[in-house]
Amino acid sequence: MHQKGHYGAALVAYAPVVFILTALGYTTLGVLGGAVVVGGAMLPDVDQRIPGVKHRGPTHTVWFALAVGAVAGVGGLLLGTSRGVLAALGTGLFGAVVGTLAVVAHILADVLTPTGVRPFAPVHGEKYTLDVVTAANPIANYALLVIGVVVAGVAVAGGLALSG
């Protein structure tokens, strides 16, 4: 998929998280996390700018997702230290979830394409593809973006209704 499609996939993947956070009264944190997930949605495609790294190779794996989650988790941990141990652990966990989810959403969107991905390489080299649309299909990319915006919006609205 292209950028707009990846943004939409990130919003769909993040919707359950923002719903829970909003329902618990953490709307600002939920929206901030959504911005981070969308902001990181294109991170796996950094491989296109690194000579010698195959596109949809190492940066399109669960291992990369976990590494990004670990880095974001440490960042969250450091951000939360000024507010105490529990806050640091909470923001660290939140950072890990958001970082991991940004990459996982990207991988899942690429599964829609004929090229697919090998998310468990090099441990397991099987290619996963649903072969639904080409990555360059503008209708599919815009549709995924619209779906993401709608799903995330419904999640926020539902969370707000529950928090009451």
Side-chain angles (χ1 to χ4, degrees), residues 56 110-117 127-133:
R56 294 194 185 182
D110 282 348
V111 167
L112 298 172
T113 69
T115 305
V117 291
K127 179 173 95 170
Y128 293 87
T129 176
L130 295 176
D131 195 5
V132 178
V133 295

Side-chain angles (χ1 to χ4, degrees), residues 96-128:
V97 168
V98 167
T100 303
L101 198 56
V103 176
V104 168
H106 184 104
I107 293 168
L108 291 174
D110 282 348
V111 167
L112 298 172
T113 69
T115 305
V117 291
R118 293 176 181 0
F120 302 106
V123 175
H124 179 63
E126 186 173 347
K127 179 173 95 170
Y128 293 87

Side-chain angles (χ1 to χ4, degrees), residues 2 7 9 26 62 75 93 96 101 136 154:
H2 286 184
Y7 289 165
Y26 298 105
V62 296
L93 177 61
L101 198 56
V154 168

